């Protein structure tokens, strides 16, 4: 491949790889975590989309209880997310869709998981 076409090839490859990711986000509003926590009733019975970095995990016996949780942080705050598909590793960047749960009780094993919690519906990890 000649050097003249290398930048064109690289740009085409980037567009080809990036297009599916961009089209999946089109029209999706990502909420600030602080806004969700401050007013959870306005998100009740609606899908909520948040994005951030995983900062904590709660995965008892690596999912043996069929439920795990992880805490996601954006620049505005942190929120716990309950998952039935396992928790991503700490430091992972995630985008997720979930439903608000204000009265979650996972028992004494998860006493640190309190307050407004998202029940994971869909997750994308980077």
């Amino acid at each position: 491949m000649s050097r003249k076409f290398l930048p064109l090839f690289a740009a085409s490859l980037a567009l080809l790889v990036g297009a599916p990711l961009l089209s999946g986000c089109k029209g999706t509003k990502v909420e600030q975590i602080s806004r969700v926590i401050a007013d959870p009733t306005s998100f009740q019975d609606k899908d909520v989309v948040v994005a951030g970095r995983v900062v904590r995990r709660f995965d008892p016996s690596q999912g043996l209880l069929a439920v795990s949780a992880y805490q996601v942080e954006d620049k505005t705050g942190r929120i716990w997310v309950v998952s039935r598909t396992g928790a991503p590793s700490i430091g992972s960047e995630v985008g997720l869709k979930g439903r608000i749960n204000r009265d979650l009780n996972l028992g004494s094993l998860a006493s640190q998981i309190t307050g407004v919690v998202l029940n994971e519906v869909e997750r994308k990890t980077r």
Side-chain angles (χ1 to χ4, degrees):
M1 185 176 299
S2 80
R3 290 183 184 234
K4 281 175 34 176
F5 294 106
L6 191 56
L8 181 60
F9 176 73
S12 299
L13 184 61
L15 183 61
L16 181 65
V17 171
L21 295 173
L22 294 174
S23 65
C25 297
K26 194 175 191 176
T28 302
K29 182 180 180 193
V30 178
E31 296 291 343
Q32 291 182 337
I33 291 173
S34 63
R35 185 166 180 260
V36 174
I37 292 169
D39 189 15
T41 54
S42 69
F43 297 99
Q44 198 72 34
D45 300 322
K46 298 177 188 171
D47 288 339
V48 178
V49 176
V50 297
R53 184 175 53 91
V54 177
V55 293
R56 291 175 74 189
R57 296 180 66 193
F58 176 78
D59 201 353
S61 305
Q62 297 301 317
L64 261 151
L65 299 176
V67 69
S68 59
Y70 56 99
Q71 194 174 40
V72 176
E73 175 183 64
D74 69 7
K75 61 184 178 185
T76 68
R78 293 180 174 191
I79 192 166
W80 280 101
V81 180
V82 174
S83 174
R84 301 221 180 269
T85 60
S89 59
I90 292 174
S92 297
E93 295 289 329
V94 296
L96 62 104
K97 178 170 43 172
R99 292 272 174 138
I100 295 293
N101 187 337
R102 294 187 306 166
D103 301 319
L104 183 71
N105 183 358
L106 295 177
S108 62
L109 287 174
S111 61
Q112 58 188 313
I113 302 172
T114 59
V116 177
V117 175
L118 278 179
N119 287 321
E120 181 186 86
V121 173
E122 183 180 334
R123 173 179 69 212
K124 294 188 183 201
T125 306
R126 210 174 15 146

mmCIF file of all heavy atoms in Angstrom, residues 82-105:
data_model
loop_
_atom_site.group_PDB
_atom_site.id
_atom_site.type_symbol
_atom_site.label_atom_id
_atom_site.label_comp_id
_atom_site.label_asym_id
_atom_site.label_seq_id
_atom_site.Cartn_x
_atom_site.Cartn_y
_atom_site.Cartn_z
ATOM 1 N N VAL A 82 -27.485 -3.157 40.278
ATOM 2 C CA VAL A 82 -27.686 -4.577 40.550
ATOM 3 C C VAL A 82 -27.794 -5.303 39.213
ATOM 4 O O VAL A 82 -28.524 -4.884 38.319
ATOM 5 C CB VAL A 82 -28.956 -4.809 41.396
ATOM 6 C CG1 VAL A 82 -29.240 -6.287 41.561
ATOM 7 C CG2 VAL A 82 -28.807 -4.137 42.750
ATOM 8 N N SER A 83 -27.040 -6.406 39.095
ATOM 9 C CA SER A 83 -26.979 -7.138 37.832
ATOM 10 C C SER A 83 -27.212 -8.620 38.047
ATOM 11 O O SER A 83 -26.803 -9.181 39.062
ATOM 12 C CB SER A 83 -25.590 -6.919 37.204
ATOM 13 O OG SER A 83 -25.439 -7.715 36.060
ATOM 14 N N ARG A 84 -27.811 -9.249 37.082
ATOM 15 C CA ARG A 84 -27.978 -10.705 37.086
ATOM 16 C C ARG A 84 -26.979 -11.363 36.134
ATOM 17 O O ARG A 84 -26.990 -12.578 35.985
ATOM 18 C CB ARG A 84 -29.404 -11.076 36.703
ATOM 19 C CG ARG A 84 -30.436 -10.474 37.645
ATOM 20 C CD ARG A 84 -31.530 -11.457 37.972
ATOM 21 N NE ARG A 84 -32.506 -10.898 38.865
ATOM 22 C CZ ARG A 84 -32.436 -10.985 40.196
ATOM 23 N NH1 ARG A 84 -31.443 -11.585 40.761
ATOM 24 N NH2 ARG A 84 -33.379 -10.465 40.949
ATOM 25 N N THR A 85 -26.121 -10.560 35.519
ATOM 26 C CA THR A 85 -25.143 -11.093 34.563
ATOM 27 C C THR A 85 -23.704 -10.927 35.049
ATOM 28 O O THR A 85 -22.772 -11.076 34.274
ATOM 29 C CB THR A 85 -25.294 -10.405 33.191
ATOM 30 O OG1 THR A 85 -25.071 -9.005 33.338
ATOM 31 C CG2 THR A 85 -26.659 -10.652 32.590
ATOM 32 N N GLY A 86 -23.520 -10.617 36.315
ATOM 33 C CA GLY A 86 -22.181 -10.445 36.865
ATOM 34 C C GLY A 86 -21.753 -8.993 36.866
ATOM 35 O O GLY A 86 -22.316 -8.166 36.152
ATOM 36 N N ALA A 87 -20.748 -8.708 37.658
ATOM 37 C CA ALA A 87 -20.253 -7.338 37.787
ATOM 38 C C ALA A 87 -18.994 -7.175 36.937
ATOM 39 O O ALA A 87 -18.130 -8.044 36.945
ATOM 40 C CB ALA A 87 -19.937 -7.033 39.245
ATOM 41 N N PRO A 88 -18.894 -6.064 36.215
ATOM 42 C CA PRO A 88 -17.659 -5.816 35.457
ATOM 43 C C PRO A 88 -16.505 -5.516 36.406
ATOM 44 O O PRO A 88 -16.722 -5.206 37.579
ATOM 45 C CB PRO A 88 -18.006 -4.596 34.597
ATOM 46 C CG PRO A 88 -19.147 -3.938 35.283
ATOM 47 C CD PRO A 88 -19.870 -4.996 36.045
ATOM 48 N N SER A 89 -15.303 -5.603 35.920
ATOM 49 C CA SER A 89 -14.138 -5.375 36.775
ATOM 50 C C SER A 89 -13.991 -3.898 37.138
ATOM 51 O O SER A 89 -14.434 -3.010 36.402
ATOM 52 C CB SER A 89 -12.870 -5.890 36.099
ATOM 53 O OG SER A 89 -12.686 -5.242 34.861
ATOM 54 N N ILE A 90 -13.358 -3.660 38.270
ATOM 55 C CA ILE A 90 -13.123 -2.294 38.732
ATOM 56 C C ILE A 90 -12.241 -1.578 37.714
ATOM 57 O O ILE A 90 -11.281 -2.140 37.202
ATOM 58 C CB ILE A 90 -12.478 -2.299 40.125
ATOM 59 C CG1 ILE A 90 -13.488 -2.828 41.149
ATOM 60 C CG2 ILE A 90 -11.983 -0.910 40.520
ATOM 61 C CD1 ILE A 90 -12.940 -3.014 42.539
ATOM 62 N N GLY A 91 -12.613 -0.346 37.402
ATOM 63 C CA GLY A 91 -11.889 0.444 36.413
ATOM 64 C C GLY A 91 -12.500 0.392 35.027
ATOM 65 O O GLY A 91 -12.144 1.193 34.166
ATOM 66 N N SER A 92 -13.429 -0.542 34.797
ATOM 67 C CA SER A 92 -14.090 -0.640 33.492
ATOM 68 C C SER A 92 -14.963 0.576 33.244
ATOM 69 O O SER A 92 -15.623 1.075 34.160
ATOM 70 C CB SER A 92 -14.988 -1.879 33.426
ATOM 71 O OG SER A 92 -14.251 -3.053 33.562
ATOM 72 N N GLU A 93 -14.983 1.045 32.022
ATOM 73 C CA GLU A 93 -15.901 2.107 31.606
ATOM 74 C C GLU A 93 -17.170 1.424 31.109
ATOM 75 O O GLU A 93 -17.098 0.539 30.254
ATOM 76 C CB GLU A 93 -15.282 2.945 30.490
ATOM 77 C CG GLU A 93 -14.051 3.720 30.909
ATOM 78 C CD GLU A 93 -14.357 4.886 31.836
ATOM 79 O OE1 GLU A 93 -15.450 5.482 31.728
ATOM 80 O OE2 GLU A 93 -13.496 5.200 32.673
ATOM 81 N N VAL A 94 -18.318 1.832 31.654
ATOM 82 C CA VAL A 94 -19.577 1.212 31.276
ATOM 83 C C VAL A 94 -20.609 2.259 30.883
ATOM 84 O O VAL A 94 -20.591 3.384 31.375
ATOM 85 C CB VAL A 94 -20.162 0.326 32.413
ATOM 86 C CG1 VAL A 94 -19.256 -0.842 32.721
ATOM 87 C CG2 VAL A 94 -20.427 1.122 33.662
ATOM 88 N N GLY A 95 -21.485 1.856 30.013
ATOM 89 C CA GLY A 95 -22.698 2.590 29.706
ATOM 90 C C GLY A 95 -23.821 1.608 29.976
ATOM 91 O O GLY A 95 -23.722 0.435 29.584
ATOM 92 N N LEU A 96 -24.834 2.021 30.684
ATOM 93 C CA LEU A 96 -25.877 1.060 31.007
ATOM 94 C C LEU A 96 -27.249 1.693 31.051
ATOM 95 O O LEU A 96 -27.402 2.894 31.243
ATOM 96 C CB LEU A 96 -25.573 0.375 32.335
ATOM 97 C CG LEU A 96 -25.515 1.251 33.571
ATOM 98 C CD1 LEU A 96 -26.766 1.079 34.387
ATOM 99 C CD2 LEU A 96 -24.295 0.902 34.367
ATOM 100 N N LYS A 97 -28.214 0.816 30.837
ATOM 101 C CA LYS A 97 -29.618 1.193 30.944
ATOM 102 C C LYS A 97 -30.187 0.384 32.094
ATOM 103 O O LYS A 97 -29.893 -0.805 32.231
ATOM 104 C CB LYS A 97 -30.349 0.863 29.651
ATOM 105 C CG LYS A 97 -31.820 1.175 29.685
ATOM 106 C CD LYS A 97 -32.518 1.069 28.342
ATOM 107 C CE LYS A 97 -32.179 -0.094 27.512
ATOM 108 N NZ LYS A 97 -33.012 -0.249 26.321
ATOM 109 N N GLY A 98 -30.963 1.051 32.948
ATOM 110 C CA GLY A 98 -31.530 0.360 34.092
ATOM 111 C C GLY A 98 -32.811 1.005 34.561
ATOM 112 O O GLY A 98 -33.255 2.022 34.024
ATOM 113 N N ARG A 99 -33.410 0.384 35.566
ATOM 114 C CA ARG A 99 -34.637 0.884 36.195
ATOM 115 C C ARG A 99 -34.358 1.189 37.656
ATOM 116 O O ARG A 99 -33.677 0.437 38.338
ATOM 117 C CB ARG A 99 -35.753 -0.165 36.117
ATOM 118 C CG ARG A 99 -36.279 -0.450 34.733
ATOM 119 C CD ARG A 99 -37.376 0.523 34.438
ATOM 120 N NE ARG A 99 -37.845 0.419 33.080
ATOM 121 C CZ ARG A 99 -39.109 0.466 32.739
ATOM 122 N NH1 ARG A 99 -40.034 0.590 33.660
ATOM 123 N NH2 ARG A 99 -39.457 0.429 31.477
ATOM 124 N N ILE A 100 -34.916 2.284 38.141
ATOM 125 C CA ILE A 100 -34.722 2.723 39.523
ATOM 126 C C ILE A 100 -35.388 1.757 40.498
ATOM 127 O O ILE A 100 -36.501 1.306 40.280
ATOM 128 C CB ILE A 100 -35.332 4.133 39.731
ATOM 129 C CG1 ILE A 100 -34.588 5.163 38.907
ATOM 130 C CG2 ILE A 100 -35.350 4.527 41.203
ATOM 131 C CD1 ILE A 100 -33.176 5.394 39.342
ATOM 132 N N ASN A 101 -34.690 1.476 41.597
ATOM 133 C CA ASN A 101 -35.242 0.710 42.709
ATOM 134 C C ASN A 101 -34.812 1.419 43.982
ATOM 135 O O ASN A 101 -33.634 1.495 44.282
ATOM 136 C CB ASN A 101 -34.731 -0.722 42.686
ATOM 137 C CG ASN A 101 -35.418 -1.593 43.712
ATOM 138 O OD1 ASN A 101 -35.943 -1.102 44.703
ATOM 139 N ND2 ASN A 101 -35.427 -2.880 43.465
ATOM 140 N N ARG A 102 -35.771 1.977 44.710
ATOM 141 C CA ARG A 102 -35.444 2.722 45.933
ATOM 142 C C ARG A 102 -35.554 1.887 47.182
ATOM 143 O O ARG A 102 -35.088 2.269 48.231
ATOM 144 C CB ARG A 102 -36.346 3.946 46.061
ATOM 145 C CG ARG A 102 -36.078 4.955 44.965
ATOM 146 C CD ARG A 102 -36.831 6.216 45.162
ATOM 147 N NE ARG A 102 -38.260 5.964 45.317
ATOM 148 C CZ ARG A 102 -39.116 6.855 45.756
ATOM 149 N NH1 ARG A 102 -38.704 8.045 46.105
ATOM 150 N NH2 ARG A 102 -40.381 6.584 45.853
ATOM 151 N N ASP A 103 -36.174 0.728 47.112
ATOM 152 C CA ASP A 103 -36.407 -0.076 48.306
ATOM 153 C C ASP A 103 -35.724 -1.438 48.210
ATOM 154 O O ASP A 103 -36.259 -2.432 48.657
ATOM 155 C CB ASP A 103 -37.915 -0.269 48.513
ATOM 156 C CG ASP A 103 -38.628 1.047 48.666
ATOM 157 O OD1 ASP A 103 -38.082 1.927 49.347
ATOM 158 O OD2 ASP A 103 -39.714 1.210 48.085
ATOM 159 N N LEU A 104 -34.547 -1.495 47.648
ATOM 160 C CA LEU A 104 -33.848 -2.753 47.463
ATOM 161 C C LEU A 104 -33.289 -3.258 48.784
ATOM 162 O O LEU A 104 -32.729 -2.495 49.556
ATOM 163 C CB LEU A 104 -32.700 -2.562 46.468
ATOM 164 C CG LEU A 104 -31.932 -3.826 46.126
ATOM 165 C CD1 LEU A 104 -32.800 -4.739 45.273
ATOM 166 C CD2 LEU A 104 -30.661 -3.484 45.404
ATOM 167 N N ASN A 105 -33.452 -4.566 49.017
ATOM 168 C CA ASN A 105 -32.883 -5.184 50.205
ATOM 169 C C ASN A 105 -32.241 -6.500 49.793
ATOM 170 O O ASN A 105 -32.928 -7.454 49.459
ATOM 171 C CB ASN A 105 -33.971 -5.428 51.251
ATOM 172 C CG ASN A 105 -33.399 -6.010 52.522
ATOM 173 O OD1 ASN A 105 -32.207 -6.272 52.631
ATOM 174 N ND2 ASN A 105 -34.272 -6.221 53.490
#
